[in-house]
Amino acid sequence: MANLSLCWFIMSLSSALFISYFCVDQAIIGTKSLIAAGVLFLYSLYYMKFRRFFYAYIPENPGTQFRGKMIPAHPNGWFVVSTTEELKPMYVKAVNQSGHNIVLFRGEDGIAYALDAFCPHSGANLGVGGAVKHMSCVQCPFHGWLFDGKTGNLVAGNTLTPRKVEFYTYNEKVGTCKLDPQEILTKTGEGLVNLRKYLLKEQNGYIYAWLHADPKAKPNYEPLDFSDVEKRLVYKGVSLNKIFSHCQDVPENGGDIRHFIYVHSYLLPFTTLLGAKWDAKWCRGDDPELKQKMKHKIPWVDDHKQKLLDKYLTKENSSSIGIMSLDMCSVIGGLAPKFFFNATVFQVGPGLVYLFLISPYYEVLFFQHTTSKGKFEHDVFHELYASWYLPHWITALILRLEAMQVTNDTYVWNKKMFATDPMYATDGEADMTILTWRRWFGQFYEGCAKREQDRDKLTW
Ligand code: FES
Ligand SMILES: [Fe+2]
């Protein structure tokens, strides 16, 4: 992307210079052409800046602070680990996502592979300096051990023959008493080596990894395939919000229908002139009354919504999906609220959110995915696809304003404790919706507490 922008910049600048210094001096063209060249140059700058807009909001890390009792830090599910564009053939990438350290690479065969990142020889991260060899293998940058992406096996040479090694482990008493040198590292066995292999799915220009505490657990849902949306909407850019909070705080926003009034009342920075009136509903995807509960009073909105529900919800995936319907009416000055858009939001597992937004004026898809780098550090991305006729500056503004709304949430999230023992008011549906949401989301933590305890504990 940066190269493309640079290319545009150099091309437009050089053409403008060429026209002004040569053609005008030679009296080949006149002032009008010079103005045209200037306009072309300015348009190129605008095009570079806004065509695939990127906006990042990175607040200060609040550092160590009281967070309260904690549920596991990382849930199970599908997560975006790369874009197709980034993972070019032979490219090797270190992924740190939701408590899983992975080496992600694309083999010479064009297939993406993902293995446990740490080399069992001496602990190097295969994603940092590792190289693709023999079609589907990654070579460790430290002493050259070779792992086959197809199987995870430690292999030898281009025959990919599994290699046998001896296993050693530190004695648990090291550091507590004096030991014979032979006892410090003792042999525990010998045999073949196999790294955990992660299931990947490449779709719509993204690479998803199935990350589960149990390596044998199979997915019970899939990321949504929005190929048909890509036929009518154009990719317009991405925003990044850095969050320092428990990762659940981000999707819990969907089930927290009351916070919109307090956190998202105004749409523009520094002014209350343009306000928003929200109406939100949230339901489990497998709620038998879902379609009725999601019914919209405007027929064309309802038609669009019901088609989305029919298309994406299946018997197999519905228990892993949460559905939100969100109406936004704009409030300008003291005027009556005017319907601006409705969003049908699919929360697909803990890590993916597809927000289908329609308005009388345009259509948008926000695809939200999160990179959880640590217990309290997450990068939340919103990828924007919009109607082709929207000018680049408008879509850039949409991205910017949407990121601003997330920033309003971030202001609260980054300083909050995790509410492990929440209190809910029963007079009204808002808190009951959060309760339903939390009960739904709890399914994604199966086995996570044990994995995190085992992973974090020092054994010697
Ligand atoms: S640490 Fe990987 S080969 Fe030595
Ligand atoms: Fe919010």
Side-chain angles (χ1 to χ4, degrees):
M1 181 48 51
N3 289 344
L4 193 69
S5 298
L6 191 64
C7 232
W8 263 97
F9 181 78
I10 292 169
M11 272 169 54
S12 52
L13 185 62
S14 47
S15 59
L17 286 175
F18 176 80
I19 291 168
S20 55
Y21 283 104
F22 289 90
C23 301
V24 175
D25 272 3
Q26 303 292 318
I28 294 170
I29 55 169
T31 316
K32 280 184 190 162
S33 301
L34 187 59
I35 291 169
V39 169
L40 175 71
F41 177 61
L42 289 176
Y43 182 78
S44 300
L45 290 180
Y46 157 79
Y47 187 80
M48 277 188 305
K49 176 75 184 162
F50 295 117
R51 189 182 70 101
R52 296 183 93 187
F53 190 64
F54 174 68
Y55 174 75
Y57 175 70
I58 302 176
E60 194 186 337
N61 187 334
T64 309
Q65 66 173 70
F66 180 68
R67 295 288 187 176
K69 280 191 285 179
M70 292 294 298
I71 58 171
H74 301 295
N76 303 313
W78 285 103
F79 295 89
V80 170
V81 286
S82 178
T83 59
T84 295
E85 191 180 358
E86 181 190 15
L87 201 73
K88 302 212 163 32
M90 313 288 281
Y91 187 72
V92 181
K93 178 182 174 181
V95 172
N96 176 11
Q97 168 69 294
S98 298
H100 296 260
N101 287 91
I102 297 169
V103 53
L104 176 72
F105 62 100
R106 197 182 292 282
E108 292 170 71
D109 51 9
I111 298 171
Y113 298 102
L115 300 175
D116 211 358
F118 297 118
C119 178
H121 175 229
S122 209
N125 188 320
L126 298 166
V128 182
V132 173
K133 301 279 173 185
H134 310 306
M135 293 299 275
S136 60
C137 297
V138 62
Q139 186 176 55
C140 180
F142 213 5
H143 314 96
W145 279 24
L146 201 60
F147 298 91
D148 186 2
K150 286 188 193 299
T151 58
N153 287 342
L154 170 69
V155 292
N158 53 9
T159 56
L160 307 190
T161 314
R163 241 179 109 182
K164 218 170 155 187
V165 295
E166 294 185 345
F167 310 144
Y168 290 83
T169 191
Y170 269 100
N171 192 314
E172 286 187 9
K173 290 184 188 144
V174 169
T176 60
C177 62
K178 192 167 167 49
L179 293 169
D180 183 276
Q182 289 297 321
E183 292 176 316
I184 291 176
L185 267 172
T186 49
K187 185 175 168 185
T188 53
E190 58 183 43
L192 303 175
V193 181
N194 184 264
L195 293 183
R196 175 174 177 180
K197 180 175 155 59
Y198 286 87
L199 181 64
L200 297 177
K201 187 177 182 90
E202 196 160 359
Q203 185 172 272
N204 304 131
Y206 301 93
I207 300 175
Y208 302 86
W210 172 250
L211 307 181
H212 199 288
D214 176 2
K216 294 198 179 83
K218 297 259 184 309
N220 53 348
Y221 69 94
E222 298 288 328
L224 300 191
D225 180 357
F226 55 87
S227 308
D228 60 333
V229 175
E230 286 182 291
K231 285 179 195 151
R232 60 177 195 280
L233 303 185
V234 180
Y235 183 71
K236 292 289 195 167
V238 59
S239 66
L240 158 65
N241 285 83
K242 211 170 210 358
I243 314 285
F244 300 102
S245 177
H246 190 285
C247 72
Q248 183 177 308
D249 287 326
V250 181
E252 191 167 297
N253 231 232
D256 183 358
I257 57 179
R258 184 178 283 147
H259 90 285
F260 285 94
I261 304 168
Y262 298 96
V263 178
H264 302 297
S265 288
Y266 298 106
L267 298 179
L268 296 176
F270 315 120
T271 173
T272 56
L273 194 65
L274 184 57
K277 189 170 170 296
W278 302 92
D279 186 13
K281 292 182 242 180
W282 188 91
C283 259
R284 292 178 60 110
D286 57 358
D287 185 324
E289 292 168 10
L290 172 77
K291 295 191 107 187
Q292 229 172 310
K293 288 180 181 171
M294 287 292 143
K295 194 152 183 58
H296 200 278
K297 57 183 184 295
I298 302 175
W300 61 270
V301 174
D302 190 52
D303 187 51
H304 182 77
K305 189 179 291 296
Q306 300 297 339
K307 278 184 186 148
L308 286 170
L309 296 176
D310 286 342
K311 180 171 176 197
Y312 289 120
L313 284 177
T314 65
K315 218 183 215 173
E316 292 72 36
N317 72 10
S318 60
S319 62
S320 307
I321 294 180
I323 303 288
M324 185 188 193
S325 179
L326 185 64
D327 263 357
M328 198 282 261
C329 295
S330 55
V331 185
I332 303 172
L335 301 177
K338 187 168 166 37
F339 175 72
F340 197 56
F341 67 71
N342 173 268
T344 305
V345 185
F346 289 71
Q347 294 190 307
V348 180
L352 311 171
V353 181
Y354 303 83
L355 194 149
F356 298 89
L357 188 154
I358 49 164
S359 93
Y361 319 104
Y362 60 88
E363 187 181 350
V364 152
L365 164 64
F366 272 113
F367 171 39
Q368 177 194 310
H369 55 92
T370 302
T371 302
S372 288
K373 296 174 169 174
K375 288 185 177 175
F376 301 104
E377 186 184 347
H378 319 284
D379 289 348
V380 178
F381 295 94
H382 285 87
E383 314 268 1
L384 176 66
Y385 299 76
S387 304
W388 62 268
Y389 51 80
L390 286 182
H392 301 312
W393 70 270
I394 293 269
T395 47
L397 186 66
I398 291 173
L399 261 177
R400 175 69 183 79
L401 293 180
E402 178 277 335
M404 190 191 96
Q405 294 303 325
V406 181
T407 303
N408 293 354
D409 289 307
T410 308
Y411 184 71
V412 177
W413 291 336
N414 286 3
K415 292 287 184 184
K416 76 193 279 293
M417 60 177 270
F418 186 81
T420 310
D421 304 310
M423 294 178 187
Y424 294 134
T426 51
D427 53 347
E429 63 170 326
D431 281 2
M432 291 303 101
T433 307
I434 303 185
L435 182 60
T436 309
W437 187 92
R438 279 201 163 189
R439 285 175 170 159
W440 168 74
F441 199 81
Q443 66 178 301
F444 302 117
Y445 290 110
E446 188 191 346
C448 296
K450 181 162 184 337
R451 179 175 186 272
E452 286 177 20
Q453 279 158 13
D454 290 350
R455 200 165 183 260
D456 289 350
K457 90 177 166 202
L458 290 173
T459 54
W460 61 281

